Amino acid sequence: MNRDLNLRRRYWRDRLMLLLLGIGTVLALLVLFLVMGYALVNGVAALNWDFFTKDMKPPGETGGGLRQAIVGTIIVDGLGLLLALPIGIAAGSLLAEYPDHPLTPPIRTLADTLNGMPAILKGLVVFVLIVKPMGTFSGFAGAVALGFIMVPIITRATEGVLTLVPKEIREAGLALGLPRWRVILSLILPAARAGIVTGVILAFARAAGEAAPLLFTSFGNPFLTTDPLKPMDTLPLRLFQFAISPYADWHRQAWAAGLVLFALIVLASALARWATRRRL
């Protein structure tokens, strides 16, 4: 009798937790759909051919587009990811595979500090280290600032997924006479590829929407440029500047910029997932 009562309690407890998880998932998706729906309603009118093929108009003039910001976003975010990816994966591998290394404690502390630091401070650091010595704002400086945002996220994500890889894989590689670095490179990292890609996507999405560090680094540019050593526009930066402007047309374009930015992040995530599945 007691056993049947126990089983019944466990069953209903399990049902209750599933119900709570379902409610939480629905609420999270509801917020996402509300935000995206509101952005779609307000920004869809500005999404036309000119928006993707023309640069912005001067203040007070209607029309134009954000071609320079779209191209700049792809360049700055892509360059930032290229800078952050090897550093983050290398640091995460060191934390997970060499826990007794003397560099492990300071790297973990630095990663946690950078992860908790406001993004605008990272932009100020890059302003002092790169913008002032170069004497000009640049897309490269913006990429470094975004890299500062991505590195700690990739580092801790890589460390987390590598610790989940079974130790038998390490032992098998070492038993074959492979050096430790070769085991990590050829066995451990491929085994954790899906988790690492997830961490990279999260880091990229986190950095792609930042405007604050770009105010002090890439600065913005109303004209199209592909030179990363010159001031460069990005969608988050232009969205911020349009949102605080007094012009209704710029407000519509700001909502449209948010939609395009969201689409770029989703597209990058889908491509990363597709590439990972192809190689698994």
Side-chain angles (χ1 to χ4, degrees):
M1 184 69 179
N2 287 336
R3 188 178 170 213
D4 290 343
L5 187 60
N6 241 355
L7 288 173
R8 205 169 292 133
R9 285 176 180 169
R10 290 170 62 184
Y11 173 80
W12 287 112
R13 207 173 289 150
D14 180 65
R15 297 292 101 184
L16 177 62
M17 293 308 299
L18 285 176
L19 177 63
L20 292 176
L21 287 173
I23 292 173
T25 302
V26 170
L27 288 176
L29 291 175
L30 181 63
V31 172
L32 175 63
F33 288 138
L34 284 175
V35 172
M36 290 308 302
Y38 192 78
L40 190 63
V41 169
N42 287 275
V44 70
L47 288 176
N48 50 44
W49 184 248
D50 288 348
F51 185 86
F52 297 96
T53 59
K54 293 184 178 180
D55 295 341
M56 60 174 288
K57 291 283 189 179
E61 294 187 20
T62 60
L66 292 181
R67 177 184 60 171
Q68 84 287 347
I70 297 172
V71 173
T73 298
I74 295 172
I75 294 174
V76 173
D77 290 0
L79 188 56
L81 184 61
L82 288 177
L83 294 173
L85 196 58
I87 298 173
I89 292 179
S93 301
L94 180 65
L95 294 179
E97 301 299 321
Y98 298 90
D100 299 324
H101 196 280
L103 289 177
T104 297
I107 289 177
R108 183 173 285 112
T109 302
L110 182 61
D112 290 339
T113 302
L114 284 174
N115 208 16
M117 182 186 297
I120 194 168
L121 291 182
K122 297 171 185 176
L124 287 172
V125 170
V126 176
F127 176 81
V128 173
L129 295 178
I130 297 180
V131 175
K132 288 193 73 174
M134 288 180 60
T136 181
F137 299 98
S138 65
F140 173 73
V144 173
L146 297 185
F148 275 158
I149 297 173
M150 297 184 206
V151 164
I153 302 175
I154 297 175
T155 297
R156 297 315 298 266
T158 301
E159 179 191 8
V161 297
L162 290 187
T163 56
L164 299 177
V165 176
K167 64 179 181 179
E168 288 78 11
I169 295 180
R170 298 174 177 84
E171 293 171 353
L174 295 173
L176 292 174
L178 296 175
R180 188 83 176 270
W181 67 268
R182 187 69 180 179
V183 172
I184 296 172
L185 192 63
S186 300
L187 298 177
I188 307 302
L189 289 177
R193 184 187 297 126
I196 294 174
V197 169
T198 300
V200 171
I201 292 172
L202 290 174
F204 179 77
R206 167 75 173 80
E210 287 289 347
L214 301 180
L215 292 170
F216 303 97
T217 51
S218 64
F219 190 69
N221 190 340
F223 305 104
L224 176 65
T225 178
T226 56
D227 186 355
L229 298 181
K230 293 181 179 180
M232 189 170 286
D233 208 10
T234 61
L235 285 171
L237 189 59
R238 190 54 54 191
L239 191 158
F240 168 75
Q241 293 175 345
F242 276 12
I244 62 175
S245 73
Y247 307 112
D249 188 59
W250 279 11
H251 293 169
R252 286 191 293 272
Q253 290 195 8
W255 285 110
L259 291 173
V260 173
L261 182 61
F262 178 79
L264 288 176
I265 294 174
V266 170
L267 178 61
S269 302
L271 288 175
R273 290 293 185 189
W274 176 79
T276 303
R277 290 197 187 97
R278 293 273 295 182
R279 298 195 53 163
L280 286 174

